[in-house]
């Protein structure tokens, strides 16, 4: 039995979902089981939570565990996340930066972005506590998903 038109359109509009997630919803009719999705996919599905301060930044084992979910990112001095994305030209780097900017507005979590010919550098940390929170890793996973 085919999917109802509105259900199919809903799935198509979910462009932030990973391909596995989309296929699972369209052909199996349910969400992938939590244990079968990678930690990065699980993080990317969460929403960044505004930090009001008063919480300590992530350190040690807790920080290491979250870093495993976004291994392409560098953790610098247990303070911020860094990643450089490369592109074949300026236009593609700019398009990526614009997608990151739109995501940052949607999530209320704004990275530092450096745009240069053929590359975009992204730096994340939670300014309110001058360190890393889970939201920084959520945003990193979401940015990785944008790159495809």
């Amino acid at each position: 039995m085919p999917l109802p038109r509105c259900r199919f359109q809903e799935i198509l509009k979910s462009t932030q979902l990973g391909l596995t997630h989309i296929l699972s919803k369209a052909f199996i009719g349910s969400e992938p089981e939590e244990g079968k999705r990678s930690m990065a996919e699980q993080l990317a599905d969460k929403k960044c939570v505004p930090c009001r301060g008063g919480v300590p930044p992530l350190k040690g084992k807790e920080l290491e565990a979250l870093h495993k979910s976004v291994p392409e990112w560098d953790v610098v001095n247990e303070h911020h996340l860094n990643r450089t994305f490369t592109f074949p030209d300026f236009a593609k780097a700019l398009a990526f930066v614009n997608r990151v900017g739109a995501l940052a507005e949607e999530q209320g979590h704004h990275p530092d972005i450096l745009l240069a010919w053929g590359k975009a550098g992204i730096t994340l940390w939670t300014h309110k506590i001058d360190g890393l929170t889970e939201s920084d890793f959520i945003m990193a996973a979401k940015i990785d998903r944008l790159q495809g």
Side-chain angles (χ1 to χ4, degrees):
M1 177 162 87
L3 287 172
R5 183 169 174 79
C6 62
R7 178 77 173 124
F8 185 72
Q9 288 173 331
E10 172 191 328
I11 293 167
L12 286 178
K13 286 181 183 175
S14 301
T15 57
Q16 291 184 344
L17 297 175
L19 181 58
T20 304
H21 197 141
I22 291 170
L23 291 174
S24 173
K25 284 181 81 172
F27 297 108
I28 299 172
S30 65
E31 299 286 327
E33 293 177 34
E34 196 71 15
K36 293 187 180 181
R37 295 186 355 217
S38 72
M39 179 68 160
E41 289 172 321
Q42 292 175 40
L43 268 178
D45 287 342
K46 291 184 174 184
K47 177 139 176 56
C48 293
V49 177
C51 181
R52 290 173 174 53
V55 296
L58 295 170
K59 300 283 183 195
K61 291 187 188 302
E62 193 175 17
L63 180 62
E64 291 171 22
L66 279 169
H67 184 223
K68 288 178 183 175
S69 64
V70 288
E72 300 87 5
W73 291 77
D74 295 323
V75 175
V76 181
N77 298 328
E78 291 192 330
H79 179 267
H80 56 277
L81 298 174
N82 252 352
R83 181 164 180 201
T84 300
F85 296 85
T86 57
F87 302 91
D89 56 38
F90 184 82
K92 287 186 177 52
L94 177 60
F96 175 74
V97 164
N98 286 332
R99 290 193 310 272
V100 171
L103 175 65
E105 279 296 297
E106 174 190 306
Q107 294 295 309
H109 196 74
H110 302 89
D112 289 351
I113 302 172
L114 171 67
L115 172 65
W117 193 98
K119 69 180 180 180
I122 310 286
T123 302
L124 290 162
W125 82 95
T126 301
H127 297 82
K128 190 80 168 179
I129 62 166
D130 196 28
L132 291 166
T133 64
E134 182 185 39
S135 287
D136 297 302
F137 289 90
I138 291 169
M139 190 67 178
K142 288 179 178 295
I143 292 170
D144 284 349
R145 185 182 275 174
L146 284 179
Q147 190 197 23

